[in-house]
Amino acid sequence: MLQTMRNNAQGMIAKVIVGFIIFVFAIWGVESIVTLGGGPKPAATVGGVDISAEEVARAVQQQKNELRRQFGEQFDENLFNDQMLRDSALEQLINQTVAKVQADDMGLRASTRLIDEMIVATPAFQSDGVFDREQFVNILRINGLTPLAYRAQLAESLKVNQARAAFILSSFTTPLDVKLQQALANEQRTISYYSVSAKDLTASVELTDEDVQAAYEASLENFMTPESVAIRYVEISRASIEKDQDVSEDDLKLAYEDHVAKLAAAEERSASHILLEIKDDRDEAQTLSLASELKARIDAGESFAAIAKEYSDDKGTADVGGDLGINLRGTFDPAFEDALYTLNEGEVSAPVETEYGVHLIRVDHINVQEIPSQDAIRDELAAQVRKEKAGFAFAELTQEFSNTAFSAGSINELADAMNLKPQETGLFTMDKGEGVAAEEKVRREAFTDNMKLDHELSSVIDLDDRAIVFSVSDYQESVAKPLAQVRAQVEARLTREKALAAANEKAQAILAGDESVEWKTATGTVAQNMGVARAVQQRAFTLAEGEADVVGTPEGYSVVKLDNVDRKDWNDMEVTEEAAQASRMQRSREDMISYQAWSKSVTDIAR
């Protein structure tokens, strides 16, 4: 389609339109047109809550990280289909969002006190068994979270768990249920069985050339080569223009001023606080009044730490004098932080109201970073200026690259216009490539029909600090590998199939009584390991006494006969606490599955 537009974009009207588009891009950027479409489309919408493509991408990355932890050095990302991981991640996010939507519809809430208690009791946030505020903040910072963001996540989790607990904990079983389940669980069955191994029959399998040819043709889809392409491309990069950027003294001065401002913003303050929660027996006015009284006592010389220990409702810090540790800007509630950063060292604030209650805040120490001289960091500043200038220059170059590519008819024409050198890749598949073909977005576009079949020029592909435009220079269709190349695979599969068929035929003959064999016996309950194939044991507990059947197993086929059923009288079963607990757990699992299915069925989900 783009090639057709290029071919037709020659008339005066077309040139005016293109000129207008270029003007809009230059003044307002691509977003000026893209945002007219209403922004990026969510991956799914669940009960009015959007799940963004970025959330799905993060979930996929988390899955890959988990797989890396499981498989270690043996992990190969190419073995896992990205679409499969994406579908799995999206389904997981949908289920999580359904649970949140249902919890909100039920009006569930998580109290501040409960959140505090959970944080304080989390072993990862403790040192020597005691909550460590600094460790808590550091762990969150490593994971890209602030205390407020973590509290919000914890609140969501608590609400969802409340909804689940409402169903799980309300499950119950009667003594009769327990006795019946006990009777079934203790029922013993005695079976006779005979296993026919396909492997033992492999040697007797004979294959003709006709058999192999027919099997090959019947399963060609198993022997197809993946389609592949090679591309010819031109590339622009930020690194290629960064080294050529000039740096003036004025540039260095502005960069130094920005650096000083950042150091000031990174100022750390260690603080302590006293939290007074607004409770049923103490309204807002009374809480503010108490805070003012405590402030007066502290101003009069009483120990801040002693008052914190006696009065503070923050269980995580009360026993350590309200110590909050060292914190950066952005750690606390805005009202709390505004007060914290207006205080001098050692000063105690007036009562401060936040969503958690009323605080008295004391600044214990202000850690101001040492500001180096401009000359001391001159090289660092110069590198930063070049990088920033290269960023602007690269953005302009990318716009020129896009405009020129739109009107170019080939990679060579684009290369000549931009003074770039064309490059080429080897053949690569949809799942794997090297160099620029290692980028998923390049592979995805290269295998679209207009690229691989019509050899059009691609759009500009943004690869972080570089960008490329390409066309497909070679396309290899998916074709069946010749029989000579896969004959061993075909013969192995066909031999296995014929051996299995022979095993089934023999098992059926044994079942019909046409063959005499030496039977083996086994006895056990449904939960015990009877020493037989799982499929044999499962079938044994669905047969009526005296019945027999043939079942498939990983090794071949087995004949199973149910000889005897030792039934237990439910009246003789004892309702032990252990049995009752097991029955409740089973019922709880069933109720949880039922609740999840119901939640999904009544929630609007658009993918």
Side-chain angles (χ1 to χ4, degrees), residues 146-262:
T146 66
L148 288 178
Y150 178 71
R151 292 179 71 93
Q153 288 186 5
L154 203 55
E156 288 289 351
S157 176
L158 284 168
K159 288 193 297 183
V160 168
N161 288 334
Q162 283 180 52
R164 291 173 177 167
F167 289 89
I168 293 175
L169 299 179
S170 62
S171 298
F172 68 93
T173 56
T174 66
L176 177 60
D177 290 331
V178 177
K179 287 189 173 186
L180 290 174
Q181 288 185 12
Q182 284 288 91
L184 288 173
N186 285 282
E187 176 185 285
Q188 283 196 325
R189 295 194 167 202
T190 300
I191 63 171
S192 296
Y193 67 98
Y194 186 83
S195 300
V196 184
S197 170
K199 185 178 180 181
D200 294 340
L201 301 175
T202 299
S204 63
V205 173
E206 295 182 357
L207 302 179
T208 66
D209 288 342
E210 291 76 12
D211 290 335
V212 175
Q213 182 68 37
Y216 167 71
E217 292 175 357
S219 55
L220 282 177
E221 69 277 2
N222 296 317
F223 307 114
M224 302 297 288
T225 62
E227 60 177 349
S228 59
V229 299
I231 63 172
R232 184 173 169 83
Y233 68 97
V234 287
E235 175 184 281
I236 59 172
S237 68
R238 185 196 300 260
S240 65
I241 58 178
E242 187 171 317
K243 62 181 182 297
D244 297 327
Q245 300 302 310
D246 295 326
V247 179
S248 67
E249 288 300 321
D250 287 341
D251 292 332
L252 290 173
K253 182 180 179 182
L254 288 173
Y256 179 70
E257 290 173 355
D258 287 342
H259 183 72
V260 171
K262 288 178 182 177

Side-chain angles (χ1 to χ4, degrees), residues 54-90:
E54 288 76 14
E55 290 176 278
V56 177
R58 282 196 297 270
V60 169
Q61 191 58 49
Q62 288 170 359
Q63 288 183 344
K64 289 182 179 180
N65 291 341
E66 182 59 32
L67 289 169
R68 285 191 184 92
R69 282 192 289 269
Q70 289 181 17
F71 293 98
E73 294 181 356
Q74 296 180 337
F75 174 74
D76 183 353
E77 188 170 323
N78 295 310
L79 295 177
F80 298 91
N81 182 277
D82 279 347
Q83 187 59 44
M84 179 187 70
L85 291 176
R86 185 188 179 283
D87 291 344
S88 172
L90 179 58

Side-chain angles (χ1 to χ4, degrees), residues 384-406:
Q384 180 183 331
V385 170
R386 287 192 187 92
K387 186 174 182 179
E388 290 178 356
K389 284 191 171 185
F392 289 113
F394 183 66
E396 293 176 357
L397 182 61
T398 301
Q399 187 64 64
E400 181 187 352
F401 194 37
S402 177
N403 297 339
T404 307
F406 181 83

Side-chain angles (χ1 to χ4, degrees), residues 565-579:
V565 179
D566 181 12
R567 296 180 177 86
K568 306 300 180 183
D569 189 337
W570 65 268
N571 289 297
D572 297 334
M573 298 295 104
E574 291 185 17
V575 183
T576 64
E577 180 56 36
E578 182 180 358

Side-chain angles (χ1 to χ4, degrees), residues 202 207 486-498:
T202 299
L207 302 179
V486 297
R487 187 180 185 91
Q489 294 172 254
V490 176
E491 289 181 350
R493 177 177 296 187
L494 184 56
T495 299
R496 170 70 176 170
E497 289 175 357
K498 285 182 174 291

Side-chain angles (χ1 to χ4, degrees), residues 525-545:
T525 66
V526 68
Q528 291 174 337
N529 184 354
M530 296 171 63
V532 297
R534 182 177 178 84
V536 171
Q537 184 164 342
Q538 288 177 332
R539 187 70 179 105
F541 280 87
T542 61
L543 292 173
E545 193 169 346

